[in-house]
Amino acid sequence: MKVTDHIKASKETLFSFEILPPLKGKSIQSIYDGIDPLMEFKPKFVNVTYHREEYIYKERENGLLEKIAIRKRPGTVGICAAIMNKYQVDAVPHLICGGFSKEETENALIDLQFLGIDNVLALRGDSIKTESNFRPHKDGHQYAEELIKQITEMNNGTYLMDDVTLEPTDFCIGAAGYPEKHFEAMNLQTDLHYLKAKVEAGAEYIVTQMFFDNEKYFAFVKACRDIGITVPIIPGLKPIKTMNHISFLPKFFHIDYPEELSKELLKCKTNSEVEKVGLEWGIHQSKQLKEAGVPCIHYYTMSNSSMVKAIAREIF
Ligand code: FAD
């Protein structure tokens, strides 16, 4: 079932979460161990993130360095199929532009369609560590908008091979939105302009980057509505758990902590103190969002479901 149909069918705020594929070599059980504790809250869909290849330099016998691509985590197709099969819940694979040619994207989408996967979250992806800017595959897409257009074309029955008639796909497409703007955007207005372009290209709902200040989410939704973006905007939340998160999350995700939260975090000396603050903040944010009638709250587990469980117990 499509994410948008789940939203339409429910009068209540839905619960959903996102998991990371395990590092290569780990079994599928490590995924189930992350999902099992959260199933009691009846998620309507579970997202699976996509992690592109990284490049390392390996010294050859002749002393020259060889550039080698390594994938640390497996792709999403098999994991989504396993999740749907085991839990009878919709799995939403993340699909990115980075590292993919248009043809590889088409093939991945055909595999997803065969597996009965109705949803995809279409993203650009970030630059790889060895590049300062995002560089698309030479036959791929520069922006998520172009990827969304390709999926929409397949939904209309237009594939890259245009010499045969093919069955249209029927994917519900999601896109990313940034209440505190995407870090490369000139300003929030240009970012919103391109967000609208993603919706016009076929995105049927938006999931936001994590934020810790609900006012920023509410202002973002208003700004979207003001420029004519009418699709559901699902807030994404991440519970702060460790001392490391205090600096890592703002740095990596380009977000700010509101003053009230930062004051509490500054007092913390241990992980368990941070976890207590993070839990209280996550519950406070979730309660307020639910009261505001948001369609769904999407939690970033980042391989750790215990805090999401503790929050969900209070909210769902
Ligand atoms: P885009 O929408 O393409 O935007 C990228 C930048 O370009 C923005 O600054 C935008 O303003 C600008 N822009 C957009 N269109 C145009 C245009 N036509 N012309 C000029 N400028 C333009 N990354 C992963 O690698 N794997 C994941 O699984 C993953 N999951 C995510 C889930 C969510 C909910 C979110 C919010 C992010 C996720 N990301 C993931 C991170 C995401 O890939 C990065 O934030 C990436 O840098 C931008 O992706 P995007 O789809 O928002 O890009």
Side-chain angles (χ1 to χ4, degrees), residues 49-50 94 123-126 143-144 178 182 185 191 194 198 300:
T49 58
Y50 187 89
H94 293 193
L123 304 140
R124 187 196 70 179
D126 282 321
Y143 295 111
Y178 302 82
H182 183 258
D191 209 24
Y194 292 123
K198 291 196 277 192
Y300 296 102

Side-chain angles (χ1 to χ4, degrees), residues 122 148 152 172-176 195 197-206 231:
I148 293 168
T152 301
C172 173
I173 310 166
L195 181 58
K198 291 196 277 192
V199 173
E200 284 167 352
E204 292 174 72
Y205 69 99
I206 292 164
V231 299

Side-chain angles (χ1 to χ4, degrees), residues 71-211:
R71 293 275 313 275
K72 288 192 175 166
R73 296 175 193 270
T76 52
V77 177
I79 296 173
C80 284
I83 291 173
M84 288 186 33
N85 187 38
K86 182 168 164 72
Y87 298 101
Q88 312 300 312
V89 68
D90 282 301
V92 184
H94 293 193
L95 205 61
I96 64 169
C97 305
F100 279 81
S101 68
K102 289 174 197 161
E103 194 180 355
E104 286 163 342
T105 297
E106 183 169 284
N107 290 336
L109 287 161
I110 291 170
D111 286 346
L112 293 173
Q113 188 200 22
F114 284 165
L115 289 166
I117 291 171
D118 297 326
N119 302 283
V120 282
L121 190 69
L123 304 140
R124 187 196 70 179
D126 282 321
S127 56
I128 50 175
K129 280 183 195 146
T130 43
E131 288 172 357
S132 54
N133 293 315
F134 175 79
R135 283 204 215 135
H137 186 287
K138 69 178 175 45
D139 299 315
H141 299 298
Q142 170 81 46
Y143 295 111
E145 179 193 349
E146 297 163 14
L147 171 60
I148 293 168
K149 277 187 183 148
Q150 182 179 2
I151 307 169
T152 301
E153 279 175 12
M154 287 177 71
N155 280 350
N156 291 330
T158 307
Y159 288 59
L160 297 174
M161 325 169 251
D162 56 4
D163 51 341
V164 277
T165 310
L166 295 152
E167 268 185 41
T169 53
D170 189 18
F171 290 109
C172 173
I173 310 166
Y178 302 82
E180 298 177 58
K181 105 171 175 63
H182 183 258
F183 69 102
E184 292 167 24
M186 284 189 274
N187 53 48
L188 190 58
Q189 278 61 43
T190 63
D191 209 24
L192 286 170
H193 167 82
Y194 292 123
L195 181 58
K196 191 174 180 197
K198 291 196 277 192
V199 173
E200 284 167 352
E204 292 174 72
Y205 69 99
I206 292 164
V207 185
T208 76
Q209 180 59 280
M210 66 181 73
F211 58 88

